[in-house]
Amino acid sequence: MKNIFLAAAMLTTIVSCGQKELVTDAPVTPPPVVPPVVASFRVLDSTQMDNDLKALSSDAFKGRKAGMAEVVLSHQLIQSRLRQAGVDSFATGFMQEFSYLGLDRKNFLGLVKGTLYPDKYIVVGAHFDHLGVDGSGVVYHGADDNASGVAATLAMAKYFHQHKPTHSIIFALWDGEEIGLRGSAYFVNNLPAGLDLSKIKFNLNADMLARSDNNSIWASGLSHYPEYAYLVDSIKSKSATQLKSGYDKPTDPQDWTFLSDHGSFYNKNIPYLYLGVEDHPDYHKVTDTYDKINPDRFTENANIFAQMAILLDRKLN
Ligand SMILES: [Zn+2]
């Protein structure tokens, strides 16, 4: 039905333009086409993001926990997306392996080199691990926490390969966040060859982008780094989601400074911004499932994350 109305509207436009031309006998200058804000704001591949969120949070992926055989499905999905995106890897490949509590764990790192400042790096990241299964074998799906952040980060790798940034960007998918930010901590203490901490200028961390039941999402970290307030100020007026700032000091209801992987960067005095929704009733429960996601809200929030990276790349010294 929508297509029929659209066709009718186009026909009306054509007819009215034709009538105008006949009456005035003047050349018709079409009005400039101003794209709606939403079209330019949403730059990420929403179909890919939806597919990845759905797959990562499915029963088959068994809660994405190191030590379980099925965790290999998460590794394969992440690696194949990085490969499809066309991004580079460090010399040892996309995988950064480490061991913790006797289990092999894996971070994944994609790289797009900057066109103007290749030695200045922004790390865009999200943890892919979650809680496995409960004592009865029921899967902790982790759709919001954090299949959502992974799907957004992988879509950003694709976007920035096609729209080259001026600074180098590392797209990081962390393991071991749920057991104490282990993957990101390993990374900052064991950087790939050629990289040192002084070259890492910022960390953007996504953890829980998809629920936003009250239509709000939080940017946390600006009380530590107020000079980056522009990342919130410039974007909040452009988004349908209410983008709020807080949860980063002791006087707030909660202080999220060390509650996700940005904490590993904060420990090294690297500025960060964390984007995520408030805790919800399904947080860390087996009911954090794909069907609870509002796809449009998720798409919007993932694009807030992307717009922060685009702006940061433009403004970072
Ligand atoms: Zn999380």
Side-chain angles (χ1 to χ4, degrees):
M1 287 300 285
K2 281 178 182 168
N3 286 340
I4 291 170
F5 285 125
L6 184 63
M10 287 171 66
L11 195 62
T12 308
T13 307
I14 291 164
V15 169
S16 64
C17 285
Q19 286 170 342
K20 188 176 179 187
E21 192 172 13
L22 282 175
V23 172
T24 62
D25 202 25
V28 177
T29 307
V33 177
V34 181
V37 172
V38 166
S40 56
F41 189 82
R42 294 188 171 193
V43 296
L44 300 179
D45 181 341
S46 58
T47 304
Q48 175 183 308
M49 287 197 296
D50 185 60
N51 288 340
D52 289 351
L53 200 164
K54 194 173 194 175
L56 287 161
S57 61
S58 66
D59 279 340
F61 280 60
K62 286 277 194 288
R64 309 186 301 275
K65 190 176 182 185
M68 298 180 67
E70 293 84 355
V71 77
V72 72
L73 297 175
S74 298
H75 300 163
Q76 288 168 351
L77 184 148
I78 291 167
Q79 283 208 98
S80 80
R81 281 297 188 216
L82 291 174
R83 211 172 289 126
Q84 285 169 11
V87 299
D88 295 326
S89 68
F90 289 95
T92 51
F94 289 130
M95 201 184 293
Q96 184 189 43
E97 296 184 83
F98 65 102
S99 179
Y100 182 73
L101 296 179
L103 291 176
D104 292 333
R105 303 167 193 272
K106 296 170 173 62
N107 293 328
F108 293 88
L109 308 169
L111 174 64
V112 174
K113 291 294 274 185
T115 54
L116 295 179
Y117 314 107
D119 277 334
K120 293 182 176 181
Y121 291 78
I122 299 166
V123 178
V124 171
H127 75 87
F128 73 86
D129 68 303
H130 195 49
L131 303 172
V133 298
D134 73 6
S136 319
V138 180
V139 174
Y140 285 98
H141 299 87
D144 188 31
D145 183 13
N146 186 26
S148 63
V150 174
T153 301
L154 292 172
M156 282 170 66
K158 177 178 177 176
Y159 173 81
F160 279 105
H161 176 70
Q162 293 167 354
H163 305 84
K164 292 285 188 288
T166 61
H167 300 76
S168 292
I169 303 185
I170 296 168
F171 299 93
L173 296 312
W174 309 120
D175 202 350
E177 189 271 353
E178 301 285 14
I179 51 170
L181 323 184
R182 301 299 165 183
S184 52
Y186 183 84
F187 172 81
V188 296
N189 288 309
N190 301 273
L191 295 173
L195 195 59
D196 63 66
L197 287 177
S198 70
K199 294 180 179 175
I200 300 180
K201 302 302 177 187
F202 206 91
N203 171 232
L204 271 177
N205 181 36
D207 195 351
M208 298 169 58
L209 299 181
R211 286 292 293 264
S212 199
D213 299 341
N214 56 3
N215 191 31
S216 65
I217 196 162
W218 289 81
S220 173
L222 290 179
S223 78
H224 303 299
Y225 305 103
E227 64 271 36
Y228 294 95
Y230 65 83
L231 290 173
V232 171
D233 295 340
S234 325
I235 290 171
K236 66 180 175 190
S237 62
K238 300 188 179 87
S239 174
T241 302
Q242 293 175 46
L243 176 58
K244 300 178 178 178
S245 177
Y247 285 117
D248 48 17
K249 50 187 180 298
T251 51
D252 287 337
Q254 285 181 304
D255 184 351
W256 294 348
T257 300
F258 293 101
L259 291 195
S260 184
D261 292 297
H262 53 271
S264 298
F265 291 83
Y266 181 68
N267 276 332
K268 300 291 184 184
N269 297 314
I270 296 170
Y272 75 88
L273 200 66
Y274 159 54
L275 187 68
V277 301
E278 291 174 312
D279 289 356
H280 46 73
D282 299 307
Y283 171 72
H284 278 202
K285 298 216 170 67
V286 295
T287 49
D288 179 5
T289 48
Y290 174 77
D291 62 292
K292 302 258 179 69
I293 301 301
N294 176 331
D296 187 64
R297 188 63 39 223
F298 166 54
T299 299
E300 182 73 6
N301 293 344
N303 279 284
I304 290 176
F305 193 50
Q307 293 294 341
M308 285 177 166
I310 291 168
L311 194 57
L312 189 62
D313 178 50
R314 213 174 283 157
K315 292 207 164 199
L316 200 63
N317 296 315

